[in-house]
Amino acid sequence: MSSLRNQDVKYHTVWNLAYEAASNAVHEERRPRKPTMTHCGEPQRPSCRMDTVQWGMNWRTPIKMIALLIAGVLLATIHHVLYKFLDGRRAHAGNGRWDLKSQEWTIRYGNALAFLAKTCFAGSIAVAYQQQIWLDFRGNYYTLSGVSAMFAAIHDPSSFLHRKVWIRAKLGMTLALSIWLLPLSALVSPSALTGGSHTKATNGEQLVPAVDFMKNESFWMGDDTLRLTPVLERIAVSSGATGDFLAIDTPIPNSSYYMEFVGPSLRCEPPNATKISIPIGELSVYGKALGVETGYGAPTYMAVSPLEFSLVDPESSVQALWGAFVEGCVMGTRRCDIMQDMYYRDALWVWQRNGNIACSLYETNYRLRFQSTGTVQKIRVENSQLVRPVPDDALDSYVSIIQSLVNMLTGTLGPWTSSHVCDYTKSSSIWDKFTSSESKKNCTIISSFRTRIWATILIGAIDMEGETGLKMPLKFSPHNAHTVFSAEDKILTRNKTLGSLIEELSRNLTINLFSNRQFLNMTGYKTNVTTWSTYNIYRYASRNLFLSYGIAILTTLFGVAVGLRALWLNGVAHSTNFAAIVATTRDPLLATVTEGASMGVEPLPKKMLQTKLQFGVLGSADKQHGENEGQGMGDEVRRVGFGLAGQVTRLVKGGPI
């Protein structure tokens, strides 16, 4: 019985062992096996080793560097072509927020191209930087904080504060710094395209306003009084007061054109004809008599007008008294005795101590240039040439224009000495300033009679001192105190004589008729008009763009050259992604360094950060034996990664690892 039991136990034991062996065989067959590859990339053969690193550069890395560089250059070229196309073209203000052709959007296009190009350049340098730092890791040992700074340099600017990294990895840190500084060149790119105003001239014939001298109702009222129109009188007064052209409304903004026409003006010269010298002499006699008969001083200035428009009563008899002469010749209410039965083309006779003047009415050829900026128009006299004396049948408008001028100038002006003036002066504070008995005896003011020459710029051209040396500072003052007129009055004359100023004033009055529509035919003259349209255009300063992109491209070329060199020296392509970090930090000794800091919480322990690491061949070695028949001891298989300094040997390109 015992022998049977022993046989049964033996049987079950053998069966269990067989079953277990069979099960293990089945499971082994079902378990997926890792394909065994050699360093040459072929299936396992007796001459090849399993699971080794494949030396050789991955083609994606250099292509990535070069492709990003080329993309940046292409974007820079597109940027240049865009700005070159826009140069000199009109900049549109835009009709709305989404007007993609507006100046605002054009600037956005340029900015986008600039930043895209700089991004490509920075990306190319970043790839090169990754290759360079792995080359640096092989050549030197670094503290753990230094390694961290090199991994983070392209996205953490505080990494550049690590001094020892700069000492041992100058080239790599230079590339990282260039990545940070490269976008600054994009700030220069927008300045390459600016805006500026541009004026375009266009020529063409157009109708412009001109003075219509045939519209008599614009110049005189046409009733029995033969009065001038108020508008003409106002223009005459304004012309005399300013001595310049009045403001004129522009018919065509931002334009320029020339106009020629015939109009009236005066020609003033010393009287030489008998018809003129006789009445001028009579004026002189009456002027001197005025001081004797009235007790006043002799007039310094006296002017009369022989124009028929001022002679309302042609039937008056000869006047013998001075008062009647003043009424007829100076005040113009009657025909002057010395001018009866005579018709003169002269418009004004002036008697003054320093020379007599006779001013004649002439037809004058005017050539004017009208130029407007916006709605402000200016007139420049290109030429004014006397043509001929006006004929007997002169246009009424010509006579009216000149009459409005001479109405201001006719009359008398001179000193008036009176005891009443002295009485007033004695009561004033200025009396004590004059101690001369002669000064206190004779007190003088300037007296005028029926003249508005005071209101014109001509007043400074009259010699009020004359033969008597008259001087007057204020309305009432003694002799020899100050000059009669202020320096400003003298400046307005521009050192011209009274005659030349009267001529100039007559021309200005004719031209100033353009200042009021009452005298104009708005389509009365056809001429070639040049108009200017001002608008904004783009201006391209290519030097700024070339400088910006030139620096960026040269920097990137340098970075690519450094990256390709590092690729060649490394023998493989590297990256700084997490998988690469995991693959290169499997040294068991590193686990002891990171004890208590496995979560990587900032700040990391100082002792841990000061640990010196180097990338190379780790100290421990495994041996792999060939399994094929006939193969003896296999080659030594070594592991590469970050290890503690002193326990890592230098990695040799192409070595078995």
Side-chain angles (χ1 to χ4, degrees):
M1 181 65 71
S2 61
S3 63
L4 289 174
R5 260 194 211 119
N6 291 336
Q7 289 180 0
D8 187 49
V9 170
K10 184 178 179 180
Y11 171 79
H12 283 289
T13 301
V14 173
W15 187 89
N16 288 335
L17 290 174
Y19 177 80
E20 192 174 323
S23 297
N24 289 337
V26 171
H27 285 299
E28 187 66 26
E29 273 194 38
R30 291 180 179 177
R31 182 182 301 166
R33 294 186 178 183
K34 182 179 180 180
T36 57
M37 303 295 291
T38 66
H39 66 280
C40 54
E42 298 177 357
Q44 181 181 353
R45 297 198 309 266
S47 60
C48 294
R49 185 176 72 250
M50 297 186 302
D51 297 331
T52 59
V53 174
Q54 300 180 25
W55 288 97
M57 290 183 294
N58 187 338
W59 59 270
R60 291 186 181 88
T61 300
I63 287 181
K64 193 190 307 181
M65 275 192 294
I66 296 173
L68 287 171
L69 171 62
I70 294 174
V73 173
L74 288 176
L75 288 169
T77 304
I78 294 173
H79 199 173
H80 164 69
V81 172
L82 173 64
Y83 281 3
K84 191 68 176 178
F85 172 78
L86 294 173
D87 187 25
R89 292 180 178 269
R90 186 167 186 169
H92 298 281
N95 298 323
R97 183 178 179 182
W98 296 103
D99 186 356
L100 301 183
K101 294 183 179 180
S102 65
Q103 184 176 0
E104 181 180 358
W105 275 96
T106 301
I107 294 174
R108 290 174 181 173
Y109 301 148
N111 291 341
L113 288 171
F115 282 101
L116 285 175
K118 300 306 185 296
T119 301
C120 290
F121 293 141
S124 179
I125 298 176
V127 176
Y129 171 74
Q130 294 174 357
Q131 312 313 310
Q132 179 60 36
I133 62 172
W134 286 100
L135 182 62
D136 292 332
F137 290 149
R138 292 187 186 187
N140 293 289
Y141 69 85
Y142 299 87
T143 62
L144 182 57
S145 62
V147 174
S148 299
M150 294 174 70
F151 272 107
I154 58 177
H155 58 78
D156 184 2
S158 64
S159 302
F160 296 104
L161 301 178
H162 204 292
R163 183 176 59 86
K164 291 185 178 180
V165 172
W166 275 101
I167 296 174
R168 297 185 178 184
K170 299 181 181 67
L171 196 55
M173 296 304 288
T174 300
L175 292 181
L177 183 63
S178 66
I179 294 174
W180 282 94
L181 297 180
L182 198 62
L184 295 179
S185 61
L187 300 178
V188 182
S189 302
S191 66
L193 187 69
T194 58
S197 61
H198 176 72
T199 302
K200 180 181 179 181
T202 305
N203 295 318
E205 287 191 341
Q206 297 189 46
L207 294 174
V208 295
V211 177
D212 188 354
F213 293 103
M214 302 301 295
K215 294 170 62 175
N216 291 330
E217 66 276 9
S218 299
F219 299 91
W220 57 284
M221 300 175 68
D223 55 12
D224 293 338
T225 60
L226 299 176
R227 292 177 180 175
L228 304 177
T229 59
V231 176
L232 181 58
E233 292 276 17
R234 287 197 298 270
I235 292 178
V237 171
S238 299
S239 301
T242 62
D244 203 349
F245 302 127
L246 304 180
I248 298 176
D249 293 334
T250 175
I252 307 173
N254 300 317
S255 64
S256 175
Y257 57 89
Y258 290 89
M259 176 184 292
E260 292 187 7
F261 65 93
V262 176
S265 73
L266 292 178
R267 178 183 180 183
C268 299
E269 55 188 354
N272 51 19
T274 303
K275 291 182 179 180
I276 298 176
S277 60
I278 292 177
I280 288 290
E282 293 292 333
L283 286 177
S284 176
V285 172
Y286 284 121
K288 293 177 180 178
L290 177 62
V292 176
E293 295 185 9
T294 63
Y296 301 161
T300 304
Y301 166 89
M302 182 180 294
V304 296
S305 173
L307 285 174
E308 283 192 334
F309 266 36
S310 64
L311 311 178
V312 180
D313 185 7
E315 302 300 330
S316 63
S317 59
V318 176
Q319 305 294 329
L321 300 176
W322 165 249
F325 171 79
V326 171
E327 183 182 12
C329 296
V330 179
M331 297 184 65
T333 57
R334 299 183 180 182
R335 178 181 293 273
C336 189
D337 294 344
I338 57 177
M339 290 180 284
Q340 66 177 5
D341 300 327
M342 301 173 66
Y343 181 87
Y344 296 98
R345 296 188 180 92
D346 297 321
L348 185 68
W349 292 339
V350 178
W351 173 81
Q352 56 177 353
R353 289 195 180 101
N354 59 352
N356 301 323
I357 302 172
C359 297
S360 304
L361 180 59
Y362 267 73
E363 289 183 350
T364 306
N365 187 26
Y366 292 89
R367 176 175 171 80
L368 308 180
R369 183 175 187 265
F370 294 80
Q371 182 170 355
S372 64
T373 302
T375 58
V376 178
Q377 181 155 273
K378 295 182 179 180
I379 297 179
R380 186 175 70 192
V381 180
E382 296 289 325
N383 186 30
S384 59
Q385 186 175 0
L386 299 175
V387 179
R388 60 172 182 171
V390 294
D392 293 342
D393 57 347
L395 293 174
D396 292 340
S397 58
Y398 285 12
V399 180
S400 299
I401 293 169
I402 300 303
Q403 184 66 54
S404 66
L405 172 62
V406 300
N407 283 349
M408 296 188 297
L409 305 182
T410 55
T412 62
L413 189 67
W416 175 28
T417 303
S418 172
S419 59
H420 298 291
V421 179
C422 289
D423 293 339
Y424 181 88
T425 307
K426 289 177 182 179
S427 63
S428 65
S429 60
I430 65 172
W431 177 256
D432 295 334
K433 296 181 180 180
F434 305 98
T435 56
S436 171
S437 59
E438 185 66 23
S439 298
K440 294 180 179 179
K441 180 179 179 181
N442 298 318
C443 302
T444 306
I445 63 171
I446 297 299
S447 175
S448 62
F449 186 74
R450 199 192 177 277
T451 183
R452 287 180 288 172
I453 196 171
W454 282 104
T456 69
I457 64 169
L458 306 182
I459 191 65
I462 298 176
D463 182 14
M464 294 300 295
E465 298 180 9
E467 299 173 354
T468 63
L470 174 66
K471 298 180 182 295
M472 184 199 73
L474 303 172
K475 183 175 182 181
F476 300 103
S477 60
H479 292 290
N480 304 321
H482 297 284
T483 55
V484 176
F485 303 113
S486 66
E488 183 180 355
D489 295 323
K490 296 292 185 182
I491 292 174
L492 291 175
T493 64
R494 291 158 289 157
N495 294 324
K496 292 185 177 182
T497 63
L498 180 61
S500 61
L501 287 174
I502 294 175
E503 292 178 346
E504 181 180 296
L505 187 55
S506 68
R507 294 191 296 268
N508 290 353
L509 174 57
T510 300
I511 295 172
N512 282 337
L513 296 176
F514 283 93
S515 65
N516 195 287
R517 287 174 173 264
Q518 178 172 319
F519 305 101
L520 301 179
N521 181 351
M522 300 306 294
T523 57
Y525 191 81
K526 189 175 185 179
T527 183
N528 184 60
V529 180
T530 302
T531 57
W532 292 276
S533 56
T534 302
Y535 51 86
N536 290 332
I537 63 170
Y538 295 108
R539 299 189 186 278
Y540 173 36
S542 58
R543 182 180 63 180
N544 294 347
L545 197 69
F546 289 158
L547 178 63
S548 171
Y549 283 124
I551 294 174
I553 292 173
L554 289 177
T555 303
T556 308
L557 284 173
F558 171 75
V560 170
V562 171
L564 293 176
R565 171 182 172 273
L567 271 173
W568 175 257
L569 294 178
N570 287 333
V572 290
H574 285 286
S575 71
T576 56
N577 56 35
F578 180 70
I581 296 174
V582 170
T584 56
T585 56
R586 307 314 298 166
D587 185 6
L589 294 177
L590 293 180
T592 62
V593 175
T594 60
E595 287 181 358
S598 59
M599 288 187 65
V601 178
E602 294 286 350
L604 294 172
K606 185 176 182 181
K607 183 178 180 181
M608 171 184 168
L609 294 175
Q610 291 178 347
T611 303
K612 296 179 180 179
L613 303 177
Q614 187 173 359
F615 181 72
V617 181
L618 300 176
S620 61
D622 297 327
K623 292 184 178 180
Q624 180 180 0
H625 298 276
E627 297 179 0
N628 294 332
E629 186 180 348
Q631 182 180 6
M633 181 72 69
D635 295 331
E636 183 180 357
V637 180
R638 298 173 298 174
R639 186 173 183 83
V640 175
F642 283 99
L644 299 178
Q647 297 185 9
V648 176
T649 58
R650 189 177 183 85
L651 177 62
V652 179
K653 177 182 176 181
I657 52 176

